[in-house]
Amino acid sequence: MKQIWYELKSQPVISAVTVIGTALAMFLIMVVVMLHQVTVIDLAPETKRSRTLYMGRGILEGFGSNKNVIQSNLSTAIAAELTESLEEAEATSIYCPYVSRALANTEGNPTFAADAKRVDDGFFRIIDLEFIAGKPFDRADIMSDLRKVVITESVARQAFASDGADVIGRTLLIDDVPQEVAGVVADVSPVTDVAYAQIWMPVSLTAPTASWGNPNMGDMRTLIVPRPGRDEAVKAEVNRRLAVINTRLAADSCTLSLAGAPYDHEHHKADEYPVTLPDVNKGRRMRWMLFGILLLIPAINLS
């Protein structure tokens, strides 16, 4: 230690550069690790990431006279057929993953833009939004096509100059359509991309949806939280339901696949638009290469 201290004092400039450079390199490694961790660990309000199975990307082969291949999310009907009433699941949800820019205002007040997402009632049993006032809309509200929404406290303050219980039941115009405020929640970070929105609106479970001119494809994805230890049972049941769907589609010479879904959160983050089961090992290799390169800097400084 005395020798080290002597060297540091005898060459202060070089010593300072070495120490600061090593510290900054280690800090950079910590930042990179943290940025990755916040996307994969259980993080409020996505507190069930480690237990959730994700599904939604569909590949429909043999569609139309030209036997086209369609890659899209699922229609509401197909998503519901695959996930609703799963015996081995604690909760399931059908939601649209895309956030749309909506114009909101109240009578006599300026219009402002907010991020809106369409979800079903099961979404609030999987995503633990912190309710400040009110409650989420339920299945009866959705099936009755009642126009109820959940908003963040920042939207409530901007629209009503309040984020308390007095906001519940009041009318918010969203794209000029009157919507009743059912609940107010704490603001959500965009880091939690599945949960993130500023306004949550009911997804239509009754109106037919279609993508690429096919009623089996649409904008919907699903979340499934299996009962403890029942992940494989849930996957097996989903695959059985998929086989039934494909038996029906065989009449039109079509085949639907789910790109290896349902799969866990790590696979979900590995590829947003997979055509097969996402390769998590590729991402791991890239991270280890990055860590190795970053570690070279402090290694050279120390040497």
Side-chain angles (χ1 to χ4, degrees):
M1 293 297 294
K2 290 182 179 180
Q3 179 65 27
I4 294 172
W5 182 245
Y6 174 78
E7 292 289 341
L8 290 174
K9 290 194 298 181
S10 62
Q11 302 184 68
V13 176
I14 294 177
S15 298
V17 171
T18 301
V19 171
I20 294 172
T22 302
L24 289 175
M26 298 304 294
F27 174 74
L28 180 59
I29 293 172
M30 292 174 61
V31 169
V32 171
V33 172
M34 289 174 61
L35 288 174
H36 171 68
Q37 286 295 96
V38 297
T39 65
V40 295
I41 63 173
D42 290 349
L43 181 70
E46 296 178 11
T47 56
K48 298 182 179 69
R49 279 178 176 175
S50 58
R51 298 181 53 210
T52 302
L53 298 178
Y54 298 78
M55 180 173 61
R57 194 66 179 168
I59 297 94
L60 187 70
E61 299 182 56
F63 170 66
S65 58
N66 295 325
K67 304 301 179 186
N68 296 322
V69 176
I70 300 175
Q71 299 180 29
S72 178
N73 293 332
L74 302 174
S75 68
T76 305
I78 291 294
E81 189 173 350
L82 288 169
T83 60
E84 286 195 341
S85 302
L86 285 171
E87 292 184 2
E88 301 296 342
E90 285 185 7
T92 64
S93 172
I94 299 172
Y95 75 105
C96 179
Y98 308 120
V99 172
S100 61
R101 203 67 172 158
L103 297 178
N105 71 291
T106 52
E107 291 289 347
N109 291 318
T111 299
F112 59 93
D115 293 330
K117 179 177 285 184
R118 293 190 176 274
V119 303
D120 70 351
D121 55 305
F123 186 85
F124 300 102
R125 291 192 290 273
I126 298 175
I127 304 300
D128 294 323
L129 297 174
E130 181 186 347
F131 274 82
I132 297 171
K135 61 181 182 179
F137 43 80
D138 56 27
R139 179 55 61 99
D141 296 329
I142 297 176
M143 299 307 292
S144 301
D145 290 327
L146 295 181
R147 292 172 177 167
K148 291 188 176 183
V149 295
V150 173
I151 61 177
T152 61
E153 55 185 337
S154 60
V155 170
R157 283 195 295 267
Q158 195 165 358
F160 304 104
S162 173
D163 58 10
D166 58 317
V167 172
I168 306 305
R170 296 177 68 177
T171 298
L172 178 66
L173 294 175
I174 301 176
D175 292 333
D176 294 325
V177 178
Q179 307 277 359
E180 179 186 338
V181 177
V184 178
V185 301
D187 289 347
V188 178
S189 169
V191 171
T192 53
D193 58 333
V194 173
Y196 174 73
Q198 294 174 301
I199 300 173
W200 292 265
M201 307 172 66
V203 66
S204 177
L205 298 177
T206 55
T209 60
S211 178
W212 298 94
N214 189 284
N216 300 294
M217 314 304 282
D219 294 327
M220 298 298 121
R221 294 191 178 184
T222 66
L223 305 173
I224 306 172
V225 178
R227 300 184 190 279
R230 304 303 294 168
D231 293 43
E232 294 305 318
V234 167
K235 293 178 183 180
E237 177 59 26
V238 169
N239 286 326
R240 281 194 292 270
R241 295 185 180 194
L242 178 61
V244 172
I245 292 171
N246 277 323
T247 300
R248 185 171 68 243
L249 293 176
D252 297 321
S253 301
C254 294
T255 303
L256 177 67
S257 62
L258 300 173
Y263 40 64
D264 59 24
H265 188 78
E266 186 178 13
H267 285 85
H268 167 68
K269 296 302 292 185
D271 190 349
E272 186 176 359
Y273 303 106
V275 294
T276 59
L277 183 67
D279 183 7
V280 295
N281 291 322
K282 180 180 178 181
R284 292 171 183 171
R285 287 192 296 269
M286 292 292 292
R287 286 193 297 274
W288 282 115
M289 288 175 60
L290 177 60
F291 295 156
I293 293 170
L294 293 176
L295 283 170
L296 281 175
I297 301 173
I300 292 171
N301 282 335
L302 290 171
S303 64

